Amino acid sequence: TDLAHIRNFSIVAHIDHGKSTLADRLIQSTNTVAERDMKEQLLDSMDIERERGITIKANTVRIDYLAQDGETYVLNLIDTPGHVDFAYEVSRSMRAVEGSLLVVDSTQGVEAQTLANVYQAIDADHEIVPVLNKIDLPASDCDRVAEQIEDVIGIDASDAIRVSAKSGIGIEDTLEAIVKRLPAPKGDRDAPLKAMLVDSWYDAYLGVVVLVRIMDGVLKKGQRIKMMQTNAVYPVDRVGVFRPAMTAIDELGPGEIGFITASIKQVRDTKVGDTITTDKKGVETPLPGFKPSQPVVFCGLFPVDSAEFEDLRDAIEKLALNDASFSYEMETSAALGFGFRCGFLGLLHLEVIRDRIEREYDIDLITTAPSVIYHIFMRDGEKIDLHNPADMPDPSTVDHIEEPRIKATIMVPDEYLGDVLKLCQDRRGIQEDLTYAGSRAMVVYDLPLNEVVFDFYDRLKSVTKGYASFDYQMKGYRTDNLVKMQVLVNDEPVDALSTMVHRDRAETRGRAMCEKLKDLIPRHMFKIPIQAAIGGKVIARETLSALRKDVTAKCYGGDATRKKKLLEKQKAGKKKMRQFGKVDIPQEAFISALKMD
Ligand code: GDP
Ligand code: MG
């Protein structure tokens, strides 16, 4: 296809504003897919994505559109994930296209993720076409929302397209706007091959599939290509496009988006953002690279049944092959045995991986408290990245500790503003900005990531009855008065319950944890002290009193079979516990104890 007849675009929106529905409509109205193959939310392929209604991996589709000018255009849509955890995937797919449809629900208006995503599009120099969706609903107020887009985002919304993705209104207008208002890609067919590696994933039939955007030159089957970052050379096996099913074609030219396979062994051998060129007579300078997505949240995953450790290893290795942003290493915990310390892009990413292990591999998991990466500066000048509070060095050898902070943007109706400010304050937030767009307030807070990873979303949703929207960006590290808090059960430290806390909050957190554990740990034959401590100094304490009598004493030594049964029952009950010293701690205690209410 010649460049003038190509348009590449993405759709950006806040979750639930109708991005997937609109994408389906665009595909359907151009007969890209036969009617009988059309199922809802074509682009959201994984089960979890469908159930949760979110898009995780970016997906792509190529649409042929016969425009009103009588010409046929090739439209390449790259769908991007809407959730904050996957902001990095959004930014990289944005670099592969020239324009964006900005979908805003006309009954709701601009939300936190609308802003975050549209700023990424602006950063990528996109032409942006605003689309006001859900005009079929009585609460739709296009004039107000168009004005809000101009006020808050600062782009012209006077010719925003009015659409109902659900009932199919405005779809033709949207397709025309893509052709008329978005720029055609640029590129030189006769130049050496220069292609961007946009994404890659593992396909059970094809092996590693690489999504590419051609900048210059032509990519063909049989060609020997070179990945410029790794210098690895591969012969190209297949070249194709997504309609949205993978369809082989002869070649991909400048401006085009498609896939290749090239007997690449694992997803990790492909570096997202890398430049692909030919082995011989290739380009010298690569495209400006992406910065790799780094895991920011870590937690331990342990099998409930320790006999399933090898199955868990297998599951984690398979998932990691397909997800380069997920990291893992083996971990042993005195309390939980063998498991893995895993790194994630955020909490949703963590939940998705955990769900997939439980569901697709049928392994019950214990998840330890999520932790962020702390920078530990030692007195001897060494710097350590701490992923696991259990590994914290002796405090007397530590000079200072830095923690990661985020810039959080929260949009919320007026009446809940007070609750939101209080929540952020409680989480050690520093208010940076507070503005109004109509009756909605936009607050910007500088918050420690550590205070957000555990249950911030849940709390925010509950204090605002679901009306707030939230988005964040990593901001950098800052020194604070942080300490490791240990929990001792029967005078033995339990490593899986160690957490990093701010010194000023330590007593409150410690007390809450001891109280919770007292309820979660069953009584034993002896008295059990439960303590929270900082470097040997106890800051909170509860005592679990002893059971008064030996349970078997009830049997009066008389009935031997009854006594045996009772002991067996006790033993079976113990299986769901982990023995720690002389104390049995139930599995659920490891997570429940860390929840902050
Ligand atoms: P996404 O999260 O942006 O991908 O949003 P979806 O496309 O999944 O849509 C979220 C919800 O809004 C779904 O229940 C859709 O059926 C509904 N929806 C999408 N577009 C429209 C529309 O134009 N009108 C109405 N009434 N509902 C819509
Ligand atoms: Mg969606």
Side-chain angles (χ1 to χ4, degrees), residues 490-511:
N490 205 26
D491 300 320
E492 299 260 3
V494 180
D495 58 357
L497 289 172
S498 294
T499 47
M500 298 295 295
V501 292
H502 192 272
R503 185 64 191 85
D504 295 348
R505 311 281 161 126
E507 273 79 14
T508 326
R509 291 275 160 83
R511 223 173 297 127

Side-chain angles (χ1 to χ4, degrees), residues 410 419-430 443 445 447 456 460:
I410 299 166
D419 297 307
V420 170
L421 297 182
K422 179 169 183 309
L423 175 66
C424 292
Q425 225 63 49
D426 284 349
R427 299 296 172 100
R428 300 193 279 128
I430 301 164
V443 254
Y445 259 89
L447 280 157
F456 186 82
L460 182 68

Side-chain angles (χ1 to χ4, degrees), residues 15-21 41 133-134 136-137 164-166:
I15 193 146
D16 280 345
H17 282 202
K19 187 176 72 168
S20 302
T21 311
Q41 312 235 318
N133 189 31
K134 308 200 186 182
D136 58 295
L137 294 174
S164 166
K166 194 168 181 178

Side-chain angles (χ1 to χ4, degrees), residues 9-20 22-23 77-83 87 89-91 93-94 97 99-105 111 113-122 124 126-133 149 153 155:
F9 69 104
S10 60
I11 306 180
V12 296
H14 186 73
I15 193 146
D16 280 345
H17 282 202
K19 187 176 72 168
S20 302
L22 179 63
L77 161 61
I78 294 192
D79 190 22
T80 54
H83 194 276
E89 296 203 351
V90 178
S91 87
S93 35
M94 293 274 180
V97 298
S100 282
L101 301 182
L102 168 66
V103 175
V104 181
D105 182 337
E111 294 286 353
Q113 285 165 36
T114 316
L115 283 175
N117 290 329
V118 80
Y119 288 147
Q120 300 232 34
I122 293 169
H126 282 191
E127 191 62 44
I128 295 166
V129 175
V131 172
L132 305 173
N133 189 31
I149 291 174
I153 305 174
I155 57 173

Side-chain angles (χ1 to χ4, degrees), residues 27-330:
I27 294 167
Q28 195 183 26
S29 71
T30 48
N31 299 316
T32 301
V33 177
E35 204 64 39
R36 67 190 145 81
D37 293 334
M38 193 72 200
K39 49 187 177 190
E40 254 181 66
Q41 312 235 318
L42 260 172
L43 290 177
D44 294 347
S45 52
M46 284 201 298
D47 278 354
I48 295 173
E49 294 187 15
R50 275 167 190 273
E51 275 167 34
R52 298 187 176 213
I54 50 168
T55 305
I56 295 163
K57 274 270 168 196
N59 275 295
T60 303
V61 61
R62 173 171 168 143
I63 299 167
D64 291 329
Y65 172 59
L66 174 59
Q68 284 166 6
D69 64 7
E71 307 275 326
T72 298
Y73 291 83
V74 169
L75 313 181
N76 289 304
L77 161 61
I78 294 192
D79 190 22
T80 54
H83 194 276
V84 290
D85 281 6
F86 303 95
Y88 167 77
E89 296 203 351
V90 178
S91 87
R92 75 195 189 204
S93 35
M94 293 274 180
R95 307 271 163 195
V97 298
E98 286 79 20
S100 282
L101 301 182
L102 168 66
V103 175
V104 181
D105 182 337
S106 62
T107 69
Q108 303 288 326
V110 172
E111 294 286 353
Q113 285 165 36
T114 316
L115 283 175
N117 290 329
V118 80
Y119 288 147
Q120 300 232 34
I122 293 169
D123 277 350
D125 285 331
H126 282 191
E127 191 62 44
I128 295 166
V129 175
V131 172
L132 305 173
N133 189 31
K134 308 200 186 182
I135 59 163
D136 58 295
L137 294 174
S140 165
D141 187 348
C142 290
D143 295 337
R144 180 184 69 83
V145 174
E147 199 179 313
Q148 198 198 11
I149 291 174
E150 298 194 341
D151 286 353
V152 181
I153 305 174
I155 57 173
D156 180 11
S158 57
D159 48 5
I161 305 163
R162 301 181 176 207
V163 167
S164 166
K166 194 168 181 178
S167 34
I169 304 165
I171 301 302
E172 179 86 15
D173 293 343
T174 307
L175 288 161
E176 283 298 314
I178 292 168
V179 168
K180 291 208 187 94
R181 288 162 61 179
L182 300 186
K186 294 192 178 79
D188 180 358
R189 197 181 163 83
D190 300 320
L193 176 67
K194 190 184 222 179
M196 182 194 295
L197 197 163
V198 183
D199 199 1
S200 63
W201 60 91
Y202 189 81
D203 180 281
Y205 299 103
L206 301 174
V208 175
V209 177
V210 178
L211 178 66
V212 292
R213 157 71 201 262
I214 314 295
M215 299 301 175
D216 290 316
V218 180
L219 186 52
K220 287 183 197 152
K221 190 176 156 173
Q223 228 169 16
R224 289 175 65 80
I225 53 162
K226 185 168 81 178
M227 310 279 190
M228 292 186 78
Q229 249 185 64
T230 59
N231 265 321
V233 173
Y234 302 96
V236 176
D237 297 330
R238 280 186 203 81
V239 176
V241 293
F242 300 90
R243 289 187 181 279
M246 293 165 87
T247 314
I249 60 167
D250 293 337
E251 56 166 58
L252 288 167
E256 292 195 290
I257 294 172
F259 71 87
I260 56 167
T261 64
S263 51
I264 301 164
K265 297 247 162 42
Q266 43 177 348
V267 171
R268 283 175 186 263
D269 297 334
T270 59
K271 299 266 177 276
V272 164
D274 200 355
T275 306
I276 300 175
T277 189
T278 44
D279 179 24
K280 302 231 163 63
K281 293 186 194 150
V283 291
E284 300 285 318
T285 9
L287 295 157
F290 302 88
K291 54 178 183 350
S293 56
Q294 296 290 355
V296 292
V297 178
F298 289 79
C299 80
L301 296 182
F302 294 84
V304 168
D305 178 355
S306 51
E308 287 188 325
F309 173 74
E310 286 303 326
D311 297 336
L312 176 60
R313 181 206 295 278
D314 188 50
I316 284 179
E317 279 173 359
K318 286 218 177 88
L319 288 171
L321 282 182
N322 204 7
D323 183 348
S325 49
F326 161 54
S327 74
Y328 66 96
E329 60 183 45
M330 225 185 99

